[in-house]
Every structure is written in structure tokens, then in C-alpha cells.
Amino acid sequence: MTSTGQDSTTNRQRRSRHNPHSPSHNSSVISKRGVKKGAVPRSSPSLAEVKKKGRMKKLSQAAEQDLIMGLQELDLNLEPKALSGTGLVFEEQLNEFHCLWDDSFPECPERLHAIKEQLTQEGLLDRCISFQARSAKKEELMLVHSLEYIDLMETTQYMNEAELRILANTYDSVYLHPNSYTCACLASGSVLRLVDAVLGAKVRNGMAVIRPPGHHAQHNLMDGYCMFNHVAVAARYAQQKHDIQRVLIVDWDVHHGQGTQFTFDQDPSVLYFSIHRYEHGQFWPHLKASNWSATGFGRGQGYNINVPWNQVGMRDADYIAAFLRILLPVALEFQPQLVLVAAGYDALQGDPKGKMAATPAGFAQLTHMLMGLAGGKLILSLEGGYNYRSLAEGVSASLHTLLGDPCPMLESPGAPCLSARTSISCTLVALKPFWEVLMQSAETLEEDCVEKDKEEGPWEPPVPQIMAWPMLCARTGLIYDRRMMNHYNLWDNHHPEMPQRISRIMCHLEGLGLTERCLTLPARPATDAELLTCHSAEYIARLRATENMKTRELHREGANFDSIYICPSTFTCAQLATGAVCRLVEAVLAGEVLNGTAVVRPPGHHAEWDAACGFCFFNSVAVAARHAQAISGHALRILIVDWDIHHGNGTQHIFEDDPSVLYMSLHRYDHGTFFPMGNEGASSQIGQAPGVGFTVNVAWNGPRMGDPDYLAAWHRLVLPIAYEFNPELVLVSAGFDAAQGDPLGGCQVSPEGYAHLTHLLMGLANGRIILILEGGYNLTSISESMAACTRTLLGDPPPLLGPLRPPLSGALASISETVHVHRRYWRSLRIRKVEDKEEEPSNSGLVTKKEPQPANPGSAKGMARPEENILEAGMGKATSASPVEESIPGQAKSEIATVELAKDKSLEVATGGAMLDQTTSEGPVGHTKLASCTDSQTPPSSPVQGTTPYIFPRNLIESLRTLELSNKTQKAPDSQTPEEKLLGEAAGGQDLDDSKLMGFGDTDEATFYAVTPLPWCPHLTAVCPIPAAGLDVTQPCQDCGSLQENWVCLSCYQVCCGRYINAHMIQHHEDLGHPLVLSFVDLSTWCYHCQAYVHHQALLDVKNLAHQNKFGEDMPRPH
């Protein structure tokens, strides 16, 4: 593997999927003429010397043939195969369920009504290819869910409201309706329909506008409004039916998709990325498994990525930074064949649950970035979103982008906030051992070189953006004129800057059918007024005078400049090339086309204010930028990206004191020895006041730079700065001499690589981007590369990249050097290194924080009060349980006692067992910090070796029908406070009156409470057979030898002490993830994952054995 410069003894577990053999360094790489005007000659060979050695025959015949064969394998010489069309599933039947007992429940039919109205208003329904929804089959759902669970959900069709409500109350934040099962099956099937359409090459991408959502649903557990996990089922379905090997799931819902994570966290074939509100565990679902430290298990370690937001008000810049710094680099290394998105829009500004400040335009950006992966095979599945207007606009923005419309400009993108940068840094630290592309991903921040981040003031919601989508007659403009071939070298037919460069490109574009897909624009000469914006009048006159010179005079005049030849047509061709670019700028700014390609010569980026240089006469890109500002009437913010292998010294000098033009160049520098020599292309060149910071140079100090190196620069440097700058127009000095096989560049960028660079830039400036040909001297390479870029501008997805090696250590060093120089000017570059440990906030800050009262009972998801958590644990809600004694300082330790309640008798019948015999005062409730309460790293769906067959309480269904529900369905009495009327976690939860904390006397003695155990929990599969040696309730803690308050793990039967001794059983759970433990004190059973006591038939054998060992007789059983 290519050396990365790291200590070879470092014990890393990096993946070594790809190990291409890089060609050895060729010391005779051809350079442009190596002497600048007036400079001391360098050791680099001059153009004349190189020609003497080989007469510049481009490449040897064998090398040329190898290159052609290699490029043919890229399929770029074949007819375009890019699919068109966006599939859409929108089924009215999905509105046929709602919460029967709470009309204000946020997950309601009005969500889809609002979306349909928005899509109809914008004409998007007619633009999409509609697909009929279908119901997912049981065997398809069983790819993720258990048959027993599916059967239980199926029976809900025949339950009455009271039965539905009781069953719903055994889960967290759900409601049930007789049509819930049918609609959930239809929702899952809708996503499967799109999987078939996309992978069956019927459409390019698609979106399923469905409900109920799915990403919280687990193997055998409803959760958070979700019954079946649609994206998880779709991923497994794609793997099974379509032989897809690698699936990327992106979850941008504001709530963590724990169900999806638990499904795949041991599976390296599915990469799961979630970006969600966390707030150190205070936000629903209150799982430590939602934090950045949860990276997966076993072979799946590193394939689970969480980016937790620890404050509200996160904006577009924060989400974009997470995508650029984490998701895109890892995804390109992973190389997915399909991308599924759990597309919740509750992070949008105005959503009552998310309380974030993302905009629809921001989600358009995220969608666009994902469209560059998996050959464009992308499917969005609707999840959350509870502000109807924001939801509708978010769905609309994503659908516009899927259809190929340009991303709207961000109103105020700025840079990621300090909290976001901290979260991103933590995630990078956690993932660094597993992904080669993340090496050296965060540079040490030197406080003496960077202004300290100011404390960010209170968040103020921005003014909602009015979305505008341009109506274009054509998408891509193409400008070319054969007259530009009249510039040629009178003395050397093999000079690399030859007329055939542009004719070969055009022939190739025509052969691929790309020219007819573009709007061909006529070229025109640049006017003197246009040229004078970047060149002196004396220089223009001097160049115009060459039209009438004789051959000898032309030769002498050319020798007065650096690396220049001149012929009688040179002035006319240079004037035409520059004018052609100005014409294309006019077309883009007028909305005549969205973007464009200028196939022009001679090139221009070396041309100075008063001098030709490096094959260049007029600086076409610079003149076009000034022309754009002139016709727009203001200092238009323009980004110039120069990816020519040579530094654009002329462009840099023209704009180095202008903050309205951001110039970014990636070029070979070779410590100042590569053309154009000197230190002008060094990373230390940053512009002059007031343009300091607006000149950015990435100086490669060697050859062989390829796709991984340029993409790393894009993700870590170019795009973060570009988004912070927020340009209104993007101009690319598109030299292709960094391409494979170029005789001057010595680098290895592929046509696919150029396509990806182009695609990522297209998210900027409302899609207004123009590529202007600069260098590139292998005719095959420049033709293929320009074709790849033009296809991308036309909206075709970038081609799949081959296996990528890690970025070269030299490339990373160059990128880091530029980051180090520029992070004082650009906050987006200030990603800090953090210690490799979790930073937990203080306990008091977590437990005592008061959440605002929701506006209605249905808006409480993620807003449980600490005192509610104990109640909900008793009612079967898998939420965090904050110790009551810590929420009230000085309160005596809580005691939990058994109280016989008549209303619970029916549960004994349902479970076939007794109520909790005794409940101890010191159940292993978990950590005292809310963020750590549910430190459950083993998911419910994770297989546990040696487990007993799954036992499902089938008689629960029948028993539910026998319950007396009159007391449960009554409204809360008027004497209740507003807080007591709140439903647990979310609408559909149980009223406080159903499981109220019950005090026993207003005395100084310890307070007693009644807790109803869960009649079933999804983690019973983890209970293993009792060892042959039986149980010994007198056995000491295996870690400390304590004989007090010991518990036995029901998975491995190790004995450890409880939380009020030395908490070794809690540590045992954290280390191994075993969920269920039995108390030797009172024979109660506790589930760490559910944070609740459990009493179920499957536990009676081990309880009875412990009872025999403790009391010498069988445990009493109910009659």
C-alpha cells in the first residue's frame, strides 16, 4: 500500500479494500518552459531541451495504446447510458389512519395533504414518473422484523379502540389504528417499488412520500410513530433480490434512527449514517447508542456513523460540513451501489420537535451531494416532519433536486458553529481507525495563529427563504469556434498547445451525442473595453500589432515572453477565445442556460496584466469574471477554481486584492521548481489587503496526484471555503493536464474524477457554473475528461469511481498546510482535534433541565420529564430512567414496594404469571447521567449465541380483549395539572393517571412507589438456558467479592453487585451489552435496554430456581 507517512507500528484496523499499484516517479516529466521572464534559469528542463530528447511525440506508441485501451474500459466512448426520470410514489390510501384518541397527534394525514398541495402547486407531480404503491409481503418484512411481531401487528386490524390503546401503551410514542398495519405494509412496499424501478433501470432516482415513518422500528418493537422499518427492509430487499453488495443509508431526520442502527450495526454491507439532535442524551430516544462513540460491533465496526447535535438551532452550514468532512469521504471509500435516505424534515426551521434552523435549500444541497454516489441510484423515503409548511417545502426542494433542478442559493450559509465542529471532530476521532480516507482529518489548532472562536450568541431564527426555481429553456451552453484553430506554432508542428486540442474535443462530444443535448452558442470577439478590465492598453496594442508582423519578427516577439509562440492569427484567436467565454457568461446570467462549457484556445490563466505567459495571451477567465460583475451591476461574488496542473499566476495577480473574487488553485508546485516557477503558487500566497484570505493555493509537491487527492482537497478545503463564501457564479479554469497520460502534468486524475469534482461544484451559485478549457496536452485524455464534465453539467450522474487508494501523504501534507494558513480567515476550516473520549456534561445539568411544556399533548416526543421516565419504564416504554433521588437534592433513596392494584390483575392473566413478587429498593437503574442511562450497544436484533428460541406472548392478543378499560379510557380529571395531562414521550403514550407515582404517607421516611412491570420486552431472546450447575443466590460479586445486592446476568450467568455497592453489574452490561439481569435480593428482573422491570413466562423457570435456592420451595404461582 502506498505509504501514508504514518508510524508503521501504529495499531490500526484500517480497511485495505483497494491497493492499486501507483506508477513509479518519472524524473523526466515534461514541464512548460522552465524560465520566467527575467528569472534565473532553474534546473527544470526547458521546452527546447525536452523536444531534443523526444521531439515531443506526445507519448510512445505503446503508452498511447495502453492509455486508449484503459480509457475505453471507462465506457466513456460508448453511447450515453444515463437514465432519466424521477420515480414518485404518492398513495392517498396512506391517509386512512390517525390517532383515535388524540386529534392533535403530530403524525397525522394532514402531513401528506400539505405535501400534495405543494407538489401540485409547483407542477412536480406531472414531472415525475408515478409508480403505484404495493403492500410489502410478510416474507419481505421478515428480512428485518420477526414473524411473531408481524403477526401481532396484523391482528391490530381487528382490535377496538380500547384494545389498540392498551397495546400502543406498551410501546414508546406510538398509536394504533385498525388501518395502521395495512398502511405500514403499503409504505414499506412503496419503497420496494422504487428499489425495483431504480435498480431495474426504469428511472434514475425516486422518492416515496409515505406514512407512517419507519426508522425507529426495531426487529420486534414499535417505536417513535414507526411500525415497520422501511429503509431497512428496502436495503435487505435490494441485497436479496438485486444482488446489491453495498448499501448506504443516510438518515437526516432530527431523531436518531435507532431501529435502523440496531438492524445493521454488525453488518459491513450496510453503511449507516445518521445526523440528529442528541443534546448529550436529553433528546429522544435518549440512547447512548445515538452518540458518536457508537460505531458498530464485530465486522460491522466502523460502518455505523452518528453525528450528534448537542444544541438546537443547527443550520445548513452545520449539516453541509458534516456531509463534506465525514459522509462523502467515507461513502466514496465504501463505494455504495445504492443510497437510501431516511428523509425526515423535522430539522427544518419551524418544526415544533426539531427546533433546528435548516432550510429547504439546505436539504436540496444534501440531496445533490448524495446524487454523486452510486451512479445516481438514490431513493428518498419520507420519515418525520411536523410543521406542515416546512415539511412540504423540504420535500419539494429534494424532489426538485432529484429532477435535476439547480440547488437554490443558501441565504446565509456562513460556517459551521462551534458545537457542530466539536461533534464532527468527535465523530472523526471515532471513525479514524476504520477508514483510510480519514487519516489526518483534523489538524491541531494553534491558538497563537488563529483567532479564538467567539462565544456564539443566542440563536435567532432566520427569515424564512422564499424558494425560487429557475425556468430554463436549455440546461448547458456550449461555445466553440473553428477559427480558434488558426493559432499555431509556425516552427514546431509538435508543440503541445496545438490546434487539434479543441477539434478533438468537439469531435468526441459530437460522437457521444453531447453537442445536440447542449445549446450551441455563437462565439464573438472580446471588445477592447472587456479586455481592458484585466489588461493594459499598451499590452493589447502590442499584441494587436503582431497581426502584421513577419515570421522573424513574430519569433522575436514571442521570445520576449515566457513560453510563448505567436503567429499572425494569434491576436484574433485570443480575442475570440476571451469573447466566447464572455458570451457564455451573458447566457448564464440571463438565464438562457444554467451552465456551460467553453472549448476555447489559446488558454488564458497565465496571462498577466501586461504580459503573455505560458501559452496564454488574454486571461479569459479573469475577463469573464469582470464582465459578469459589469453586467450584473454589482460586485458579484465569483468563485474561480483553477484545476489546471500549472498555477494560474495571471489570475491570482489580477484578483489578489479583491474580496469579491475567491481564487482557488490546485497545482503542481514542487517547492517552486514547477512552471511557472517561484513562490507565487505557494500556500503562503493568500492575497493582499483587502483581499487577504481570498487567494487559496493547494501546492502539490510532486507527481502522481489522482482522484483521491483532489477529492480530499475538495472535501476538506475547497468546498468548505466555497460554501462559506457563497458565490453567485462559479468559473472553472478547466485545464486537463492533471489527467492520466498528460505529458506535462505527470498526474493521474481520471475522467470520472473530473466529473465528480464538477458535480460537487454544481451545488454552488444556484448551479451557475462555467468550465473554460485551459491546458491539457494528451488529446485522448482531454477529450474524455471534457466529455465527462459536460455530461455532468447536463445532469447525468457522475460515473462510478474505481477503487480508490488513500490520499498520498504528500497530498495530505499540502492540504493541511493550506488549511493551516487559511483557517484564521475561514471558520469552516477550524475542525479541532479532540481527546478520544466522551465528554459528558454535569449530572445536574442533565437531570434538572426543564423542558418547555408542549403546545399540545401530541408534541411531547423527545420532551419527557425526568419524573416521567420512571413511570414510562413501568408501562413498557423503552426510555431512559433518571434516578429520582438525584433529581431532588437531599431526598432519601427511593424505595419501590409492591402494591396490589386491581387493574393489574388482567395483566397477570395476559402474561400467565404473577405480578412482581417483591421489588427491591435498589434495582440497577443504570448510570446517574441521562446520557448514559441506556448505554446499550447490543441491539435488540443482534444475534446472541446460545439464546433460547424466541418466546412471544401470543395470548397477549386475546387477553387484551378481556381487559376492563373503562378506567383507562376516561379523561383526566379537571384537578390534574397541565403537566399531569401530558402523554408519555409522545401522543399515544399513557396518561399519568394510569401509572402514577404513589406515595405512602407524608412523613420523613423513604417514599414508596408502585411500578407495573412490562408483561413482555423485545430482549427476552437474550435469555440463555440455565447452567447445569444451577444458581447460587449466595454467590459473591465476581469483581469485588461483595455479598450485598448481587444480580445474575441472564445471558452469561455471571454474578455482579448492584449500583449502590460498586455497580459492577452496570459495568458488565456496558462491556457486553447483555440486557436482562435477575436480583438475588427480591428475584425481580430488570432490562437495561428498556430501563424497566420485566415479568414474563420466559423468566419463570430461572425465577423459580432462584426461589428454590433462596427459600427451599417453589415460587408461588397464581391460580
Side-chain angles (χ1 to χ4, degrees):
M1 182 169 293
T2 306
S3 172
T4 63
Q6 289 202 338
D7 185 348
S8 60
T9 63
T10 302
N11 183 18
R12 293 292 186 187
Q13 304 171 9
R14 302 190 185 283
R15 293 168 173 75
S16 299
R17 299 188 188 86
H18 324 305
N19 186 22
H21 297 286
S22 299
S24 59
H25 172 45
N26 181 2
S27 60
S28 62
V29 171
I30 302 171
S31 172
K32 289 186 181 179
R33 200 164 102 186
V35 181
K36 280 184 60 67
K37 184 178 181 181
V40 178
R42 303 279 179 166
S43 58
S44 183
S46 67
L47 184 61
E49 292 169 341
V50 171
K51 289 194 294 180
K52 287 181 180 178
K53 294 181 180 179
R55 294 302 301 166
M56 294 293 296
K57 292 182 179 179
K58 298 177 286 181
L59 292 173
S60 68
Q61 185 174 358
E64 178 84 2
Q65 188 62 32
D66 289 344
L67 176 65
I68 293 174
M69 292 179 63
L71 289 170
Q72 286 174 343
E73 292 176 0
L74 302 176
D75 264 356
L76 289 174
N77 284 322
L78 304 178
E79 286 300 312
K81 297 179 181 179
L83 296 170
S84 62
T86 294
L88 177 67
V89 178
F90 194 112
E91 177 56 59
E92 295 286 353
Q93 187 180 344
L94 295 176
N95 286 322
E96 295 179 358
F97 74 102
H98 61 277
C99 183
L100 297 170
W101 51 87
D102 182 3
D103 292 337
S104 64
F105 200 98
E107 207 300 287
C108 58
E110 286 74 19
R111 298 174 64 233
L112 296 197
H113 293 328
I115 293 172
K116 183 177 181 181
E117 182 179 351
Q118 184 79 23
L119 300 186
T120 302
Q121 179 181 337
E122 297 186 20
L124 294 176
L125 294 177
D126 295 333
R127 294 178 59 191
C128 295
I129 299 173
S130 180
F131 286 89
Q132 183 70 35
R134 72 166 177 88
S135 291
K137 302 174 184 176
K138 274 193 178 181
E139 54 267 30
E140 293 167 343
L141 296 175
M142 287 172 61
L143 294 171
V144 172
H145 301 285
S146 70
L147 177 60
E148 292 84 356
Y149 171 70
I150 298 169
D151 287 342
L152 175 60
M153 294 298 103
E154 186 177 27
T155 62
T156 61
Q157 301 174 94
Y158 314 108
M159 293 182 183
N160 59 38
E161 178 179 340
E163 294 166 341
L164 291 167
R165 187 167 185 178
I166 290 301
L167 180 57
N169 286 343
T170 66
Y171 301 109
D172 182 9
S173 307
V174 301
Y175 69 82
L176 285 166
H177 182 281
N179 292 331
S180 291
Y181 174 78
T182 300
C183 291
C185 290
L186 203 58
S188 285
S190 298
V191 185
L192 301 186
R193 178 76 78 185
L194 288 178
V195 169
D196 288 334
V198 169
L199 297 181
K202 295 180 180 178
V203 292
R204 176 184 300 167
N205 52 45
M207 186 170 194
V209 181
I210 55 176
R211 58 181 291 265
H215 67 145
H216 297 308
Q218 300 170 41
H219 179 64
N220 43 26
L221 185 70
M222 287 188 77
D223 207 352
Y225 310 166
C226 304
M227 180 179 288
F228 298 131
N229 197 313
H230 314 309
V231 292
V233 171
R236 288 290 185 233
Y237 177 81
Q239 292 178 324
Q240 183 186 75
K241 181 175 180 180
H242 295 279
D243 198 29
I244 293 297
Q245 303 300 314
R246 295 177 305 281
V247 179
L248 167 64
I249 297 178
V250 176
D251 191 335
W252 64 45
D253 190 281
V254 81
H255 300 91
H256 177 231
Q258 79 274 30
T260 312
Q261 174 173 314
F262 292 162
T263 301
F264 299 112
D265 62 1
Q266 297 188 70
D267 186 350
S269 70
V270 177
L271 175 63
Y272 176 67
F273 174 91
S274 177
I275 183 168
H276 51 266
R277 183 176 166 191
Y278 181 61
E279 291 191 283
H280 303 289
Q282 290 185 86
F283 192 66
W284 196 90
H286 309 299
L287 297 174
K288 192 171 183 181
S290 306
N291 206 1
W292 54 266
S293 56
T295 59
F297 300 93
R299 294 178 62 242
Q301 197 168 10
Y303 291 89
N304 187 83
I305 303 175
N306 286 322
V307 181
W309 294 146
N310 287 314
Q311 69 179 36
V312 297
M314 307 303 269
R315 309 185 186 202
D316 296 334
D318 305 309
Y319 281 84
I320 289 170
F323 269 52
L324 293 178
R325 292 305 301 264
I326 302 172
L327 175 59
L328 293 186
V330 171
L332 287 173
E333 184 173 338
F334 178 68
Q335 295 190 313
Q337 298 163 292
L338 174 67
V339 180
L340 302 172
V341 181
Y345 292 92
D346 37 9
L348 284 169
Q349 179 188 347
D351 191 276
K353 299 188 178 302
K355 298 184 179 177
M356 297 297 179
T359 69
F363 278 102
Q365 293 284 345
L366 304 185
T367 304
H368 175 78
M369 291 180 186
L370 295 178
M371 289 170 67
L373 302 172
K377 295 180 177 65
L378 173 65
I379 298 172
L380 275 60
S381 175
L382 181 65
E383 295 284 353
Y386 306 101
N387 177 301
Y388 302 151
R389 177 180 175 182
S390 296
L391 170 64
E393 291 179 348
V395 171
S396 167
S398 290
L399 203 51
H400 270 288
T401 307
L402 290 175
L403 285 162
D405 295 343
C407 297
M409 284 190 63
L410 303 175
E411 283 297 304
S412 53
C417 68
L418 179 59
S419 179
R421 300 199 301 271
T422 300
S423 293
I424 291 170
S425 295
C426 290
T427 303
L428 288 171
V429 168
L431 295 175
K432 188 175 178 180
F434 311 109
W435 298 96
E436 292 175 327
V437 73
L438 297 183
M439 291 183 297
Q440 302 179 23
S441 57
E443 295 77 17
T444 303
L445 192 62
E446 297 182 8
E447 299 297 333
D448 58 344
C449 295
V450 183
E451 294 181 24
K452 290 187 176 181
D453 290 309
K454 297 179 180 179
E455 288 293 328
E456 293 161 7
W459 169 68
E460 296 181 2
V463 178
Q465 178 181 358
I466 299 176
M467 305 288 289
W469 301 92
M471 301 299 294
L472 300 168
C473 298
R475 181 181 179 92
T476 300
L478 176 63
I479 200 156
Y480 164 77
D481 195 309
R482 286 187 57 86
R483 290 177 292 171
M484 287 181 278
M485 295 181 65
N486 293 333
H487 168 66
Y488 62 94
N489 193 316
L490 297 171
W491 307 273
D492 182 5
N493 292 332
H494 297 288
H495 191 280
E497 210 293 281
M498 58 180 62
Q500 291 83 357
R501 293 175 62 242
I502 57 174
S503 61
R504 281 283 293 270
I505 290 174
M506 288 303 298
C507 286
H508 193 59
L509 296 180
E510 291 171 359
L512 294 175
L514 297 178
T515 53
E516 60 191 43
R517 295 175 61 189
C518 298
L519 176 64
T520 302
L521 299 170
R524 65 164 177 82
T527 65
D528 282 3
E530 292 164 348
L531 295 175
L532 285 168
T533 61
C534 296
H535 299 285
S536 68
E538 294 79 9
Y539 171 66
I540 296 171
R542 179 179 179 181
L543 199 56
R544 180 178 275 119
T546 62
E547 291 184 297
N548 301 313
M549 288 184 179
K550 297 179 180 178
T551 302
R552 181 175 298 179
E553 294 172 322
L554 291 171
H555 189 276
R556 185 182 305 114
E557 181 67 359
N560 289 328
F561 300 106
D562 186 3
S563 304
I564 286 294
Y565 69 80
I566 304 175
C567 74
S569 300
T570 294
F571 175 80
T572 300
C573 292
Q575 190 182 35
L576 190 59
T578 302
V581 181
C582 290
R583 172 67 184 94
L584 192 50
V585 164
E586 293 166 357
V588 168
L589 293 185
E592 192 176 349
V593 293
L594 172 63
N595 54 46
T597 298
V599 183
V600 297
R601 65 177 291 273
H605 69 143
H606 293 306
E608 301 277 5
W609 168 259
D610 58 358
C613 179
F615 311 163
C616 303
F617 299 91
F618 294 134
N619 199 312
S620 303
V621 169
V623 172
R626 288 298 185 218
H627 185 58
Q629 292 179 328
I631 62 179
S632 65
H634 69 281
L636 199 71
R637 290 190 310 278
I638 297 176
L639 167 64
I640 298 177
V641 176
D642 190 336
W643 69 43
D644 189 283
I645 198 61
H646 302 93
H647 177 242
N649 52 291
T651 312
Q652 174 173 307
H653 290 152
I654 290 170
F655 297 112
E656 59 189 350
D657 61 352
D658 185 351
S660 71
V661 177
L662 172 61
Y663 176 68
M664 307 182 78
S665 176
L666 299 90
H667 51 269
R668 274 190 69 178
Y669 180 61
D670 293 12
H671 304 288
T673 64
F674 199 77
F675 188 90
M677 305 294 192
N679 65 352
E680 291 155 317
S683 61
S684 58
Q685 297 293 316
I686 58 175
Q688 300 175 4
V692 171
F694 292 89
T695 295
V696 182
N697 285 316
V698 180
W700 306 133
N701 285 312
R704 298 186 291 111
M705 300 300 169
D707 297 345
D709 312 296
Y710 278 80
L711 287 167
W714 247 239
H715 296 148
R716 301 184 187 192
L717 177 68
V718 174
L719 290 172
I721 292 178
Y723 274 104
E724 189 172 347
F725 178 66
N726 197 26
E728 299 167 278
L729 176 67
V730 178
L731 303 176
V732 180
S733 281
F736 295 107
D737 37 9
Q740 298 167 341
D742 190 272
L744 302 188
C747 289
Q748 302 169 347
V749 181
S750 69
E752 303 98 322
Y754 282 118
H756 278 266
L757 302 183
T758 302
H759 174 81
L760 290 170
L761 292 175
M762 288 168 62
L764 301 163
N766 204 195
R768 297 189 296 189
I769 176 175
I770 298 173
L771 270 61
I772 301 101
L773 180 66
E774 296 282 0
Y777 307 101
N778 178 286
L779 300 184
T780 302
S781 296
I782 61 172
S783 300
E784 299 291 357
S785 298
M786 184 61 91
C789 292
T790 303
R791 277 177 165 167
T792 304
L793 291 177
L794 284 164
D796 295 353
L800 291 171
L801 290 168
L804 296 175
R805 59 162 171 78
L808 297 176
S809 59
L812 293 175
S814 295
I815 295 169
S816 297
E817 185 177 276
T818 306
V819 168
H820 176 79
V821 169
H822 277 276
R823 59 190 169 197
R824 69 171 61 194
Y825 309 110
W826 303 98
R827 284 194 297 132
S828 55
L829 301 181
R830 298 176 198 170
I831 302 297
R832 301 172 183 268
K833 274 189 174 180
V834 295
E835 293 184 14
D836 195 1
K837 65 179 183 180
E838 294 191 56
E839 297 176 2
E840 300 280 1
S842 64
N843 179 57
S844 60
L846 289 172
V847 176
T848 62
K849 178 177 178 181
K850 294 182 179 179
E851 294 283 1
Q853 180 179 336
N856 60 67
S859 64
K861 181 177 179 180
M863 300 177 67
R865 302 184 307 277
E867 64 269 25
E868 288 179 327
N869 293 330
I870 295 293
L871 302 177
E872 293 167 352
M875 291 309 298
K877 302 230 167 79
T879 62
S880 304
S882 299
V884 178
E885 67 272 19
E886 300 201 22
S887 64
I888 306 173
Q891 177 181 328
K893 193 180 300 181
S894 301
E895 300 285 340
I896 303 176
T898 301
V899 179
E900 292 296 332
L901 300 176
K903 66 179 180 180
D904 292 321
K905 292 294 184 182
S906 57
L907 285 177
E908 297 180 21
V909 178
T911 60
M915 292 298 297
L916 210 61
D917 304 308
Q918 296 176 345
T919 50
T920 179
S921 63
E922 299 178 4
V925 179
H927 273 323
T928 58
K929 294 180 181 179
L930 182 59
S932 304
C933 285
T934 51
D935 187 10
S936 54
Q937 296 276 327
T938 301
S941 59
S942 299
V944 179
Q945 293 184 353
T947 56
T948 55
Y950 178 74
I951 302 173
F952 195 91
R954 296 179 183 276
N955 54 354
L956 173 63
I957 303 168
E958 290 76 14
S959 300
L960 283 169
R961 307 193 193 286
T962 67
L963 296 178
E964 294 294 333
L965 300 172
S966 58
N967 292 334
K968 293 183 178 290
T969 56
Q970 291 177 358
K971 294 183 179 180
D974 295 338
S975 60
Q976 284 184 309
T977 65
E979 286 190 351
E980 287 175 329
K981 293 181 181 179
L982 286 175
L983 299 179
E985 272 304 320
Q990 178 151 349
D991 293 325
L992 275 178
D993 193 48
D994 290 341
S995 58
K996 189 183 296 181
L997 289 172
M998 303 183 66
F1000 292 86
D1002 187 13
T1003 70
D1004 293 334
E1005 297 181 1
T1007 306
F1008 288 79
Y1009 298 96
V1011 173
T1012 303
L1014 297 183
W1016 165 80
C1017 97
H1019 311 106
L1020 291 169
T1021 55
V1023 177
C1024 292
I1026 302 169
L1031 296 179
D1032 181 2
V1033 297
T1034 64
Q1035 187 176 342
C1037 172
Q1038 66 174 18
D1039 292 325
C1040 65
S1042 171
L1043 295 172
Q1044 296 180 322
E1045 201 224 320
N1046 286 332
W1047 297 73
V1048 61
C1049 173
L1050 297 184
S1051 293
C1052 65
Y1053 289 91
Q1054 295 184 23
V1055 176
C1056 299
C1057 61
R1059 64 181 299 231
Y1060 291 115
I1061 308 303
N1062 293 309
H1064 285 130
M1065 183 54 79
I1066 295 175
Q1067 187 62 48
H1068 175 81
H1069 161 70
E1070 291 177 348
D1071 292 342
L1072 300 179
H1074 296 166
L1076 287 156
V1077 292
L1078 173 71
S1079 169
F1080 280 164
V1081 176
D1082 60 13
L1083 309 187
S1084 60
T1085 307
W1086 177 264
C1087 178
Y1088 282 103
H1089 290 335
C1090 294
Q1091 286 292 297
Y1093 290 101
V1094 181
H1095 189 74
H1096 183 266
Q1097 185 75 30
L1099 303 170
L1100 293 184
D1101 288 344
V1102 67
K1103 282 191 173 189
N1104 189 58
L1105 184 60
H1107 195 278
Q1108 289 174 342
N1109 186 266
K1110 187 177 181 72
F1111 300 109
E1113 60 182 15
D1114 287 343
M1115 183 173 62
R1117 306 243 178 169
H1119 298 289

